[in-house]
Amino acid sequence: MKTAIAKAARRHRPAIVRFLRDLIAIPSESRREEAVVRRIGEEMEAAGFDRVIIDGMGNIRGRIGRGKTIVAMDAHIDTVAPGSLDQWKWDPYRGRLSRGIVYGRGAVDQKAGMASMVYAGKLIKELGLEDDFTLWVVGSVQEEDADGLCWQYLVREEKLRPDCVVITEPTNLNLYIGQRGRMEIKVEVTGKSAHASAPHRGKNAVYLMSRVAAEIEKLNSRLKTDPFLGKGTVAVTDINCRTPALCAIPDHCSIYIDRRLTIGETKNGAVAEVRAAAGKARVKARVRVHTYDLPGWRGLRYATECYYPAWRLPRSHPLLKAARKTYRETFGAAPKVGKWTFSTNGVATMGLFNIPTIGFGPGNEIYAHTVNDQVPVEHLVKAAAWYALFPGIFTKTAGNK
């Protein structure tokens, strides 16, 4: 790192690490984020943010400046559960620090981004980097349950529509410009119950669904491929049956499908493919896109169809130009440009609302949702420097209208 801002970021290294370890120590699975939201608010206030808001959904936002160019940086602050504790080598909620790496649930996915963003705000204040921009640092909720739901709320209800969004999901300190989309599809079949001692008298819904599932698996060989984002995929991820008793033939079976969408694939097309698969299996099935409708930590239910579109920022876009320039000035090198394997809140910011969106975050996504959840301390410091420098560069090179 070559700039004065990078040196200042290094001075805050111990504080960034302490803050991240505090965040990890607070369990914050989706819809249970209140305690971590409150802790983030405390740190934003101490860092000198001009305003700190907790909205009706439970997202926390910190504002710096009042300029005409609006920049938003987003980190979701909910996590998945730790799973079996027997598989962890350490307490997932301790925030273990060892040999320059912080470990624990949510370290890389993605409380590290939050910690670096808050200290970027502190750097902006300390070094007088405020310009003709308004920076919103967003700690968003319920992302693990429903990608982008928080930004549907922010755009539609809070009327926050920035000129660009930086997603701080892990990119290994590279610039990411897209991802495949995602859908959750539910398939149901109905059979006929009978006593299990005479199965021929009934119609086993599980057997019917097994034929449908086999056809869905075959879909993978026929799905589209994009040169940059890669291939669409489909997978059965859950199965349930209804039966009068363990000695009876099930009369109902349902599955959930995770469908990853590449560029050129559509919601209607994906549903039609599943219906066609059921047709090939010669099974009558009900196929529909699942709806997410669970209350958040503030009690708000903000229902959404579980369709999260693919998105890709053009390589010629001014946002990428500004991000590249920020990278060169911060690190003295040219960045690598890539994409996420998984899904992010970009499905809403750019996928639904066409707000220019780019990714830059600490840590490697391969550790997300694993018992090795981790982030290097050096990434925290470097990310904070990049976040602090970016709003001013974007304002000068791409944000002014």
Side-chain angles (χ1 to χ4, degrees), residues 138-156:
V138 180
S140 52
V141 297
Q142 288 179 266
E143 190 271 352
E144 295 290 2
D145 271 7
D147 335 359
L149 178 66
C150 48
W151 273 94
Q152 291 186 49
Y153 181 87
L154 288 167
V155 172
R156 291 173 177 149

Side-chain angles (χ1 to χ4, degrees), residues 18 45 121 123 140 152 159 173-174 200 208 216 247 260 266 277 283 289 297 318 326 345 347 352 359 362 395:
R18 280 195 301 271
E45 296 280 3
L123 289 170
S140 52
Q152 291 186 49
K159 309 304 179 186
L173 297 183
N174 298 315
H200 59 281
L208 294 175
I216 289 170
C247 57
R260 300 289 158 154
T266 66
V283 174
V289 181
W297 71 265
T326 303
N345 281 333
V347 298
L352 291 178
T395 298

Side-chain angles (χ1 to χ4, degrees), residues 81-142:
S84 173
L85 297 180
D86 292 339
Q87 296 184 22
W88 288 80
K89 296 179 180 179
W90 45 77
D91 182 343
Y93 295 117
R94 180 184 168 194
R96 179 174 182 261
L97 174 63
S98 176
R99 298 182 179 181
I101 297 175
V102 179
Y103 299 86
R105 174 53 81 226
V108 76
D109 187 22
Q110 61 142 145
K111 292 176 176 179
M114 189 76 245
S116 293
M117 285 195 300
V118 170
Y119 274 83
K122 188 175 182 70
L123 289 170
I124 290 171
K125 286 292 190 178
E126 285 183 354
L127 300 178
L129 299 174
E130 292 172 276
D131 204 328
D132 190 19
F133 63 77
T134 300
L135 171 64
W136 285 104
V137 170
V138 180
S140 52
V141 297
Q142 288 179 266

